[in-house]
Amino acid sequence: MTAVLFGFKCIDSMTEALCNKIDAEQGGFEFRRFPDEESYVRIDTRVEGRRVVICGTLDRPDEKFVPLHFLAAACRAEGAHSVGLMAPYLAYMRQDRQFHSGEAVGSREFARLISNSFDWLVTVDPHLHRIRALNELYSIPSRAVHAAPAVSDWIRANVERPVLIGPDEESEQWVSAVAADAGAPYVVLEKTRRGDRDVEVSVPEVSRWREFVPVLVDDIISTGRTMIATVEHLLEAGMKPPVCVGVHGIFAGDAYSSLRGAGAAQIATCNTIAHESNAIDVSPRMVEAVRSFL
Ligand code: R5P
């Protein structure tokens, strides 16, 4: 039986491409908010006995989780064979331990919620740091797709003489993979974060890289403070205006305009979260991963 794919606030072109590639029917549903902001969901595609894929990226997760859960629950109530989640961006991965007593560990609690609602999970480059693999958190089968090959293709095609720069130790896993694929050198800096919007980074051996175009690569651009501090330091040190590449461009508040204002030559992100900076398409790899669950 043909699978059914429901796209919830996903990039339309990605939902359509996925539907075509996995040979699924695009599911129809009604979603609205009641006047008191509660969510209403009603599916109008027959799902009985069918495999269901729900495509919903999880930036701004608090407002998206309840509708996604209701969508999955409605599919189950109508007899779906299975219900999987394709979340190009997976939220709540950064609070992966208690930093202060009394804190909830967001990554673990969110994983519990998602694992209760869905049968499997596909995502792109989740922020794995102290947690090494999704199955340490998620009790459902999961697959993490790597954006590195698509990112390095983009760098090869768009940047002449790049030196890749990772703003912190956590970024090394992405930067080293992208650099290897792009055949470019890389440097990893040291970052000190004093608060949500207060970040300081070390400067690399500038004289060695002055003739190169710095390409900052990070998995997430949220407040943009990490990238902004790095761009400012590199410019002050006399390097060329950097190109900023983020796998997931969340761009909280005025992060995008501030990063441009800081002197970034170009900002490119993957299409895991809809944004005008989307330049790198990761959907072909997601298709393969979703297919493995159908
Ligand atoms: C953190 O470890 C991540 O890899 C990113 O560096 C971080 O999330 C970026 O956040 P922001 O844009 O708020 O500085």
Side-chain angles (χ1 to χ4, degrees), residues 163 165 187-190 201-209 214 230 233-234 237 239:
V163 52
I165 298 193
V187 180
V188 173
L189 311 185
E190 272 173 35
V201 288
S202 65
V203 189
E205 310 156 72
V206 175
S207 52
R208 188 162 164 209
W209 306 115
T230 314
H233 281 288
L234 295 178
M239 288 187 70

Side-chain angles (χ1 to χ4, degrees), residues 162-268:
V163 52
L164 272 55
I165 298 193
D168 57 20
E169 173 211 338
E170 285 146 82
S171 65
E172 174 146 19
Q173 52 186 307
W174 296 283
V175 182
S176 57
V178 172
D181 278 358
Y186 77 93
V187 180
V188 173
L189 311 185
E190 272 173 35
K191 173 168 91 178
T192 312
R193 187 186 276 281
R194 298 197 198 84
D196 286 349
R197 292 172 190 273
D198 185 4
V199 169
E200 190 183 300
V201 288
S202 65
V203 189
E205 310 156 72
V206 175
S207 52
R208 188 162 164 209
W209 306 115
R210 221 185 282 278
E211 296 312 315
F212 287 71
V213 176
V215 182
L216 312 189
V217 180
D218 207 353
D219 61 332
I220 299 171
I221 308 177
S222 177
T223 64
R225 295 318 303 178
T226 301
M227 287 267 180
I228 290 169
T230 314
V231 168
E232 285 171 348
H233 281 288
L234 295 178
L235 290 176
E236 270 163 31
M239 288 187 70
K240 292 181 192 282
V243 172
C244 297
V245 178
V247 176
H248 308 290
I250 297 175
F251 297 112
D254 63 356
Y256 187 59
S257 55
S258 303
L259 182 53
R260 288 169 67 111
Q266 198 179 349
I267 305 170

Side-chain angles (χ1 to χ4, degrees), residues 105-181:
V105 179
S107 59
R108 197 173 55 213
E109 298 313 319
F110 194 62
R112 219 171 260 165
L113 294 173
I114 295 280
S115 300
N116 285 337
S117 301
F118 297 93
D119 295 312
W120 52 261
L121 168 70
V122 168
T123 188
V124 179
D125 280 341
H127 185 85
L128 296 171
H129 181 207
R130 285 162 283 259
I131 303 289
R132 295 279 156 199
L134 280 177
N135 63 13
E136 290 176 34
L137 290 173
Y138 284 78
S139 57
I140 50 175
S142 58
R143 280 195 59 185
V145 170
H146 297 298
V151 171
S152 45
D153 284 352
W154 184 87
I155 293 173
R156 261 201 309 268
N158 292 280
V159 187
E160 229 172 90
R161 216 170 173 206
V163 52
L164 272 55
I165 298 193
D168 57 20
E169 173 211 338
E170 285 146 82
S171 65
E172 174 146 19
Q173 52 186 307
W174 296 283
V175 182
S176 57
V178 172
D181 278 358

